[in-house]
Amino acid sequence: MSANNLTSTVTAGIVSAKARNINILNAEMKIESFIQTDAAVNPGNSGGALVNTRGELVGINTAIASQTGSYSGYSFAVPTSIVQKVVSDIRQYGVVQRAILGVQMREITSELKKEKNLTTLQGAYVERVVPDGAAEKAGIKSGDVITRVDDAAVKTGTDLQEHIGRHRPGDVVSVTLLRDGKTMTVQATLTNREGGTGVISAEDEASVLGATFSELTDQQKERLGINYGLQIKSLKAGKLKSAGVPADFIILKVNNRSVRTEEDLDDIVRRANSASEHDRVLFITGCTPQGRIRYYAVNLAE
């Protein structure tokens, strides 16, 4: 049979781990809580279904651990608990709602346990609490060890990310923690990335720049000697104007990514807004309508 006739395939394996963090994402607000299996997954299989023996969807295949680029024993899937939340948010709001507890964590190792005189190796150690964040307002402090969120056990920082990632801004969660060997429970109202409790709309994502855009015409591309670009059509109060970006400016690249459409720009802004406060910057390369190259830095955190 020709390989071209293989319209679908199925492979079998076992689940060898859950809540696996493999460090393939760079953003500080990343959620890596993969299901690890030994089912054969290769490049091109991403987006495929991971199902159990009853045919129920349990994850979406996403990555493999490989030195060669092909399957070599480990594959990873995003659990449906996260997938369902993302799909629901996009359908309802047009953009994913990220709930934030407001802590920076460290994994608990034997060395950290000894250094901090902890009583457990399981949980998420709170290295730092974000000022005025949900955790600080709930009374969580640096040095606490978070062990549960609602009814779900937290064994690692990855567990905590997954459990918080299932929620939306404004949700109230019960956080159980260890402090000085004593167990206590606090109530935390999760926030959005701006520190509020409301949901973020697709319009909120786009309006932060304070501009409308239009794609370049073929005549503009030919005159300027470029193949793509997004021109500012109107400019009002917002991040671009505050950074000194002029009206009619033509954006070519942002954060070293080519900008061909407004969707490209929206995606870059969303990714930047999901980064840590210090990394929420847009480095813009573009040109004036006369073809003069200009560079701007837009700080989204200010």
Side-chain angles (χ1 to χ4, degrees):
M1 178 187 296
S2 168
N4 293 330
N5 294 326
L6 299 178
T7 56
S8 62
T9 60
V10 176
T11 60
I14 64 170
V15 172
S16 51
K18 297 191 299 181
R20 181 70 83 192
N21 186 331
I22 56 175
N23 295 313
I24 61 172
L25 301 177
N26 295 321
E28 186 168 317
M29 287 178 63
K30 66 183 180 181
I31 298 178
E32 287 198 23
S33 186
F34 296 113
I35 300 170
Q36 179 180 311
T37 73
D38 65 358
V41 171
N42 283 291
N45 297 147
S46 294
L50 179 70
V51 298
N52 60 21
T53 55
R54 295 187 296 273
E56 298 166 332
L57 181 69
V58 296
I60 300 296
N61 295 320
T62 301
I64 59 175
S66 173
Q67 299 296 322
T68 64
S70 60
Y71 173 75
S72 60
Y74 302 103
S75 56
F76 303 90
V78 177
T80 51
S81 59
I82 295 177
V83 174
Q84 289 173 331
K85 161 70 165 48
V86 169
V87 171
S88 176
D89 282 352
I90 291 175
R91 283 178 171 174
Q92 188 170 352
Y93 304 106
V95 65
V96 177
Q97 303 297 321
R98 291 297 305 273
I100 299 172
L101 180 59
V103 296
Q104 292 182 355
M105 305 170 294
R106 284 178 64 183
E107 296 296 338
I108 302 176
T109 62
S110 298
E111 292 77 12
L112 182 65
K113 181 175 182 288
K114 182 178 180 180
E115 176 189 346
K116 302 296 183 180
N117 197 27
L118 304 178
T119 58
T120 180
L121 280 169
Q122 294 191 340
Y125 179 81
V126 179
E127 178 79 2
R128 175 178 173 269
V129 177
V130 176
D132 296 322
E136 184 179 75
K137 291 177 180 178
I140 298 173
K141 299 179 179 179
S142 298
D144 290 343
V145 176
I146 297 174
T147 58
R148 299 188 73 85
V149 172
D150 293 330
D151 295 328
V154 173
K155 297 181 180 180
T156 65
T158 301
D159 281 335
L160 179 61
Q161 288 178 323
E162 179 181 346
H163 298 322
I164 296 299
R166 297 175 183 178
H167 291 275
R168 291 172 177 161
D171 287 353
V172 178
V173 296
S174 284
V175 180
T176 301
L177 52 88
L178 288 172
R179 179 182 297 166
D180 299 326
K182 298 179 180 179
T183 299
M184 59 185 297
T185 300
V186 299
Q187 305 297 312
T189 302
L190 304 176
T191 68
N192 57 37
R193 64 172 180 271
E194 304 296 340
T197 56
V199 297
I200 300 295
S201 68
E203 288 74 18
D204 292 332
E205 290 275 359
S207 64
V208 67
L209 297 181
T212 60
F213 305 92
S214 61
E215 296 179 26
L216 295 183
T217 64
D218 291 338
Q219 291 81 2
Q220 287 176 303
K221 294 176 187 177
E222 183 177 357
R223 179 173 58 82
L224 294 169
I226 56 180
N227 296 320
Y228 60 86
L230 193 66
Q231 187 170 31
I232 297 174
K233 185 166 61 175
S234 65
L235 192 64
K236 58 182 181 180
K239 298 294 185 182
L240 292 180
K241 189 172 184 179
S242 297
V245 181
D248 295 332
F249 187 73
I250 298 169
I251 298 173
L252 299 175
K253 289 188 176 183
V254 178
N255 292 351
N256 209 33
R257 286 181 53 187
S258 300
V259 177
R260 291 175 167 79
T261 66
E262 193 165 350
E263 288 73 19
D264 291 341
L265 182 59
D266 288 344
D267 182 61
I268 296 169
V269 173
R270 279 193 291 270
R271 289 174 182 269
N273 269 323
S274 297
S276 66
E277 182 176 350
H278 298 296
D279 294 330
R280 290 171 57 190
V281 180
L282 303 179
F283 295 102
I284 299 175
T285 301
C287 66
T288 67
Q290 294 74 38
R292 298 186 181 90
I293 299 295
R294 295 287 186 272
Y295 304 93
Y296 296 94
V298 177
N299 191 341
L300 297 177
E302 291 181 346

